[in-house]
Amino acid sequence: MNLENIAILGLARSGIAAAYKLKELGFSPFLSEMRPKTEVPNSSELIRDFECEFGKHSERLFDYETIIVSPGIPLTSPIILELRRKKIELISEIEFGFRIKHKDSKIIAVTGSNGKSTTVSLIYHLLKTAGFHTILAGNIGTAFTSYPIEKSGIDYIVLELSSFQLDLIDTFQPNVAAILNITPDHLNRYENFAAYVKSKFSIFKNVTNKDIAIINGNDDVILNYSKELKINFEYFGLNKYSQFIYNKSIYHYDNITFSLQHSKLLGAHNAQNSMAAVLATAPIIQDSVIMQKAIDTFVPLPHRLEICRIKNGITFVNDSKATNTDSVKYALTSFSQPVRIIMGGSDKGEDFRILNPLLKKHTVKIYLIGETTSKMTETFQSVCPIEAFTNFKDCIYKAFQDSHSGDVVLLSPACASYDMFQNYEDRGNQFKTIVSEL
Ligand code: ADP
């Protein structure tokens, strides 16, 4: 890769981080962004610091050898197709970071449809507790290349990777790689489910048997695909691999037992996430006492099955991060009490029928908001009573008014949030504020 001849396509968090990293290293990338400059935060700083174009992707891009592409740009967009025709190298910011990172820093990479942020945060906490100099980056918030990764001193880089970030890797080789689960998600961006699965599996593209490869042994989609690869996988799971997790304990293959008795992570799905984190870090930490301490002291992330208030015996749970049906399934099975579920938002192309049996079993009423209201009303009409709202506050107040002591009011939308909110954090924070005012 010739660092003098790089352009950046798409100026969101990772694109901007890559641009400043190149500048720090003494180079001057060209920046191209489709949005007008008025819509790009910090555009005046970018114009000051770089050669940029806004509101278009011009032919100037064809002069570059390598282009770092933002994960937000679909690979079917005309500019990508044109760049591919011209045989220009297209890479993600993750691939760029891998190429420039210090050779001694090791990478632990995690992907999956659900549980990525929880698992990488637990891995980070385990390694920090054991005294390693560790950074946490990628899809979880801070871009990989915004850290001083080219310098020595970082022991472990823990990366949360979305399928979009994995789509444009080439030489990226993590020392530890894990796929947590694969369920239909982002079907509006992939040609079909098989293409999405393939994208997730590219995390193992360059992984060898010297590295650690971890997969979910209960996930048939993952198991089937993994058979085609010549990698020695390590498995975690709840049923077939029950020697690993049962009775709130994790049994590591080295005959070490870790208890989840004091873990603050709720539900079976989090037991799976914890197991994946243990498989990723036990060979590194090699101290079961420290690992147990880290498992016990980990504080779960907000917006994931977060109990935010108990009022008049009614438990309010913020699971705003549940943006697909699989996470809603796990949320529903985490409670034995009657659930009043708040669902809906912007549509990611999923078939909601898959939720019907669990909704029938666990919920007493469904409260709908957002763009998916008519699709969900049609899907769930025979399941249990439904009421639709145009206003989030009215929806939460009605769920509260309907509730009896012992009920759970659960925000677990199965949809993205962009129709009514800035993002899932905004949706979860608004939920918590309204609930605190009840
Ligand atoms: P991600 O970063 O992959 O979106 P999070 O850890 O942020 O994952 O969790 C997102 C949602 O998925 C939350 O609602 C959470 O309760 C649920 N979840 C977490 N782990 C799993 C899992 N292993 N399987 C299914 N759902 C999960």
Side-chain angles (χ1 to χ4, degrees), residues 93-306:
E93 183 250 354
I94 298 296
E95 172 70 22
F96 169 62
F98 178 75
R99 292 183 189 182
I100 61 160
K101 80 163 182 70
H102 192 273
K103 61 178 179 12
D104 294 341
S105 304
K106 298 209 159 38
I107 291 190
I108 301 180
V110 176
T111 192
S113 303
N114 290 304
K116 297 181 292 298
S117 296
T118 302
T119 307
V120 291
S121 302
L122 179 56
I123 291 174
Y124 173 74
H125 179 67
L126 278 152
L127 293 170
K128 291 281 275 189
T129 307
F132 291 103
H133 184 202
T134 311
I135 61 168
L136 179 57
N139 203 40
I140 188 152
T142 315
F144 182 19
T145 52
S146 63
Y147 286 100
I149 51 170
E150 69 284 9
K151 302 199 176 114
S152 65
I154 301 173
D155 299 317
Y156 289 96
I157 300 166
V158 184
L159 290 180
E160 173 184 331
L161 299 180
S162 69
S163 47
F164 308 141
Q165 287 164 318
L166 285 165
D167 280 335
L168 291 179
I169 60 155
D170 179 19
T171 62
F172 177 71
Q173 182 182 11
N175 304 82
V176 179
I179 304 186
L180 300 176
N181 42 57
I182 305 185
T183 54
D185 198 2
H186 301 298
L187 296 182
N188 45 359
R189 273 275 299 259
Y190 288 93
E191 206 176 314
N192 50 37
F193 185 53
Y196 174 62
V197 175
K198 188 167 173 228
S199 159
K200 289 279 181 210
F201 261 89
S202 57
I203 198 168
F204 296 126
K205 186 171 178 208
N206 302 300
V207 163
T208 67
N209 285 335
K210 283 197 207 117
D211 309 308
I212 296 176
I214 300 165
I215 52 175
N216 185 336
N218 292 144
D219 189 313
D220 289 335
V221 172
I222 293 183
L223 281 181
N224 284 337
Y225 201 100
S226 68
K227 285 185 197 132
E228 292 170 24
L229 307 179
K230 291 190 193 70
I231 299 176
N232 295 333
F233 288 104
E234 289 182 14
Y235 302 92
F236 67 92
L238 292 172
N239 311 320
K240 259 184 262 173
Y241 297 90
S242 57
Q243 69 271 32
F244 288 149
I245 307 181
Y246 65 96
N247 286 339
K248 289 204 146 221
S249 294
I250 295 175
Y251 294 84
H252 188 248
Y253 51 83
D254 281 342
N255 289 330
I256 313 166
T257 305
F258 298 104
S259 165
L260 298 180
Q261 215 70 46
H262 301 292
S263 165
K264 289 167 203 73
L265 287 167
L266 295 178
H269 56 309
N270 276 320
Q272 300 199 27
N273 297 338
S274 302
M275 182 63 210
V278 164
L279 285 179
T281 54
I284 299 167
I285 298 176
Q286 298 188 358
D287 184 329
S288 55
V289 176
I290 289 180
M291 290 196 52
Q292 185 64 61
K293 181 177 154 210
I295 290 168
D296 293 348
T297 54
F298 178 68
V299 179
L301 300 170
H303 311 298
R304 286 106 176 141
L305 284 188
E306 179 190 10

Side-chain angles (χ1 to χ4, degrees), residues 22 77 199 371 410:
L22 279 161
S77 62
S199 159
E371 230 170 68
L410 169 69

